[in-house]
Amino acid sequence: MSNLTDLLIKLIPIFPLVAVISNGLLGHRYSRDIAHRLAWGSVGLSFLCTMAVFIDVLRTGTTHEVIAYQWIFGGDLTINLAYLVDPLTCAWLLIVTGVGFLIHVYSVGYMHGEAGFTRFFTYMNLFMVSMLLLVMGNNYLVLFIGWEGVGLCSYLLIGYYYDKVSAAKAATKAFVVNRIGDAGFLVAIFLVFVNFKTLDYTKVFAQVGQLSPEMATAIALCLLVGAVGKSAQLPLHTWLPDAMEGPTPVSALIHAATMVTAGVYMIVRNHVIFDLSPFAMSVVAFVGGGTALFAATIGLVQTDIKRVLAYSTVSQLGYMFLGCGVGAYTAAVFHVMTHAFFKALLFLAAGSVIHALSGEQDIRKMGGLSKRIPWTHRLFLIGTIAIAGLPPLAGFWSKDEIMAHAFMNHHYLLYSMAAIGALMTSFYMFRLTYLTFYGRSRMDHHTEEHVHESPMVMIAPLMVLAFLSGVGGLILGFPPEHGWLHGFLGPGVGAVSEHEAGTGMVFLLMGVAIAIALIGWGLAHFLYAVSPVTADGWAEKFSGMYRTLLNKYYVDELYDLLFVEPVKRLGMLLYWFDRAVIDGVVRSVGRLADWGASGSTWIEKYIVYAGLNVIGYGNHLAAREGRKLQSGMVHHYAAIIVAGLFLLAVVVQLVVQM
């Protein structure tokens, strides 16, 4: 069975890779039907392999380490292209392949009729390959290859509509901001190798006790920089909301279910390093808590349906970081899984709304859709209740567990930040639901005439995600802290932070979490269903705060002022220096050679006239032959360089012998 499992592990990333090669090279030669069947079929096969591997790991408790081939070797460094599959890997593989498969199926209907249909699925499959390498790699370098791969695919998919200026800018922004985080990640990899002489997880974690507290803190903080960039945490969060310029399935796959959780995966995978540094753990926790609260405030007033969900994603990722920072690693992974269910559901349901309204995304131009697109309405409502944290849906169990850990371990400030963020989450999600599906219609006449429910190829994946959003929390995490997921992940992520709490305290915290969600729902119901005029009045009364939140605290403008514009001015200065000075010197040398060669003509004539015919002829000959050196032929210059290097080597050899 072990050999079969190892074979299945190798096949998991190979299936989508085959689809990438086939659609990428030959997609223009066959029909769209073949292209999309290859795309979702390959991901489906990866999911089936994942299920088989998961069952084996669950049954035997075995950790599989599979070497594909020896990649880099020399000196102290040996790196294999190898996979490590343990319970933590299985959790992410189920998310990536399972939710990824549903999103690929949904994309068949959503992207129908789009130009570049085959290109879209090629990029999607390439993303799957990269994400699978990221979570399956058994060492930091394979992780980094997948890490950069999802960054590249994010750039390609966000900029899918490359002829649209805003999409091209958003793709570039995502790529550049992620490079900042990647720089920190690279430094962490270098520090790991310097200290352990290896990049393999198992060898590093076995020796981690030899690290000094200072070095553990340095490695942990550098890893955190990488995680902050990839998971859109403060202050590198600005790329994620702009990434909504890509097609909606891209938002669901990359920016809700998989890519943005890569930072959480990296922290949990390296928890033994973070555990050595209380300071780094505190930084992780406060970055997460601050991001959860910060992004939630912005989500209160946004008017683009996808942008509200984007800031919701940033906020929910903050809860995951907060969980990691207080030592509740299992709770953080639990929230990753439930978030994948309900956020993919919300994004795809939002895509169904956009599809029904012929591309409209402004919730101020919606309303009254509950009866026009009833399936989308019901499914979106399930996602809203799940993320708001109302039992028994999935979000309640995972988010409440993170908040409970913060409170029981005496992190009262972090708990307060999380609680306020949870209240805002409930409010802005029900606000979004009311403005989109209830009340009077605010659609223009042409759009309203063409409102239609999405086809079953789009609705069916939503039904599956709605089911998982409904019962996923109970299946994975009930009873709280002692559910199936806790027992499955415990050996891989270590014991969570210990705390003593009676049953009464547990139920009290659950009651507070429910009350918070209900207050947010009630406030949204009053302002957007009972008395919409009151909401408009509050916006006018607090116009300064409203504009600040609507403009995202002007963070983008601040970054433009502090970083973008100075770098652009520096670039223009360097451009001028290159053109005026560097190029000027090069051009001057060329002109001097040409002047010297052509100038020999009148010099020669002067000398001839003076009677020095022999010297004149010699000068003329030297100039003529010298001009041949400036032929403009690259291969001539290359030959001269090679000859010069040869002569230099000979001279050096003679000097050494002397």
Side-chain angles (χ1 to χ4, degrees), residues 546-627:
Y546 180 83
R547 285 194 303 272
T548 300
L549 295 179
L550 190 62
N551 289 282
K552 296 102 52 182
Y553 291 100
Y554 299 99
V555 173
D556 283 308
E557 290 77 3
L558 179 63
Y559 286 177
D560 283 343
L561 179 65
L562 296 180
F563 304 110
V564 178
E565 291 303 323
V567 170
K568 286 170 64 176
R569 287 194 290 269
L570 177 61
M572 292 301 297
L573 176 62
L574 294 176
Y575 171 78
W576 173 85
F577 183 81
D578 181 68
R579 293 296 302 272
V581 180
I582 305 299
D583 286 359
V585 171
V586 173
R587 286 193 297 267
S588 297
V589 171
R591 292 193 184 102
L592 182 62
D594 186 66
W595 175 83
S598 61
S600 297
T601 303
W602 63 264
I603 293 174
E604 177 193 63
K605 292 178 180 179
Y606 178 81
I607 296 174
V608 169
Y609 292 145
L612 300 176
N613 295 323
V614 176
I615 297 177
Y617 179 75
N619 188 34
H620 172 74
L621 182 62
R624 186 182 65 190
E625 297 303 319
R627 182 181 292 178

Side-chain angles (χ1 to χ4, degrees), residues 507-561:
F507 280 106
L508 176 61
L509 291 174
M510 291 175 67
V512 171
I514 294 171
I516 287 171
L518 289 174
I519 291 171
W521 186 354
L523 186 59
H525 178 75
F526 173 75
L527 290 177
Y528 297 100
V530 177
S531 180
V533 177
T534 304
D536 296 334
W538 283 13
E540 293 180 4
K541 184 176 181 180
F542 301 101
S543 58
M545 181 181 297
Y546 180 83
R547 285 194 303 272
T548 300
L549 295 179
L550 190 62
N551 289 282
K552 296 102 52 182
Y553 291 100
Y554 299 99
V555 173
D556 283 308
E557 290 77 3
L558 179 63
Y559 286 177
D560 283 343
L561 179 65

Side-chain angles (χ1 to χ4, degrees), residues 47 99 102 334 337-338 340-346 348-349 375 378-386 390 392-395 397 459-476:
F47 176 67
V99 177
L102 295 174
F334 186 16
M337 298 188 77
T338 59
F341 301 150
F342 59 68
K343 187 51 66 66
L345 169 62
L346 287 167
L348 296 184
W375 277 110
R378 297 186 192 108
L379 296 167
F380 193 94
L381 183 59
I382 291 172
T384 298
I385 296 173
L390 287 169
L393 277 72
W397 303 103
I459 295 298
L462 296 182
M463 292 179 176
V464 177
L465 290 168
F467 173 77
L468 293 172
S469 299
V471 304
L474 288 169
I475 294 173
L476 296 173

Side-chain angles (χ1 to χ4, degrees), residues 93-169:
L93 284 177
L94 290 170
I95 296 171
V96 174
T97 58
V99 177
F101 171 72
L102 295 174
I103 294 172
H104 274 72
V105 173
Y106 173 95
S107 300
V108 175
Y110 188 88
M111 299 300 292
H112 177 72
E114 288 278 359
F117 184 82
T118 304
R119 173 169 58 90
F120 173 81
F121 280 105
T122 301
Y123 292 164
M124 292 281 277
N125 283 139
L126 183 60
F127 170 82
M128 295 296 295
V129 174
S130 301
M131 192 68 199
L132 291 171
L133 285 177
L134 190 156
V135 301
M136 293 175 66
N138 83 326
N139 60 72
Y140 288 95
L141 194 55
V142 176
L143 168 64
F144 186 73
I145 296 300
W147 190 273
E148 291 300 297
V150 294
L152 171 63
C153 294
S154 177
Y155 171 80
L156 295 172
L157 286 166
I158 295 169
Y160 174 75
Y161 301 114
Y162 56 84
D163 54 346
K164 187 179 177 183
V165 174
S166 57
K169 288 184 176 180

Side-chain angles (χ1 to χ4, degrees), residues 40-95:
W40 61 258
S42 65
V43 180
L45 289 173
S46 293
F47 176 67
L48 293 177
C49 291
T50 296
M51 287 299 298
V53 172
F54 163 67
I55 291 171
D56 180 70
V57 172
L58 180 64
R59 180 177 59 84
T60 64
T62 304
T63 295
H64 295 269
E65 194 161 3
V66 182
I67 299 176
Y69 66 91
Q70 193 176 35
W71 181 16
I72 301 173
F73 53 91
D76 295 330
L77 180 62
T78 299
I79 297 176
N80 298 316
L81 179 60
Y83 306 129
L84 175 68
V85 177
D86 59 3
L88 181 62
T89 307
C90 286
W92 251 271
L93 284 177
L94 290 170
I95 296 171

Side-chain angles (χ1 to χ4, degrees), residues 220 223-224 267 270-278 280-281 284 329:
L223 289 172
L224 176 61
I267 292 175
N270 291 275
H271 70 91
V272 293
I273 297 177
F274 282 87
D275 288 342
L276 295 175
S277 174
M281 292 286 282
V284 172
Y329 298 111

Side-chain angles (χ1 to χ4, degrees), residues 192-206:
V192 166
F193 182 74
V194 167
N195 284 274
F196 299 103
K197 306 305 180 185
T198 181
L199 294 178
D200 287 355
Y201 294 146
T202 52
K203 295 177 182 178
V204 169
F205 299 156

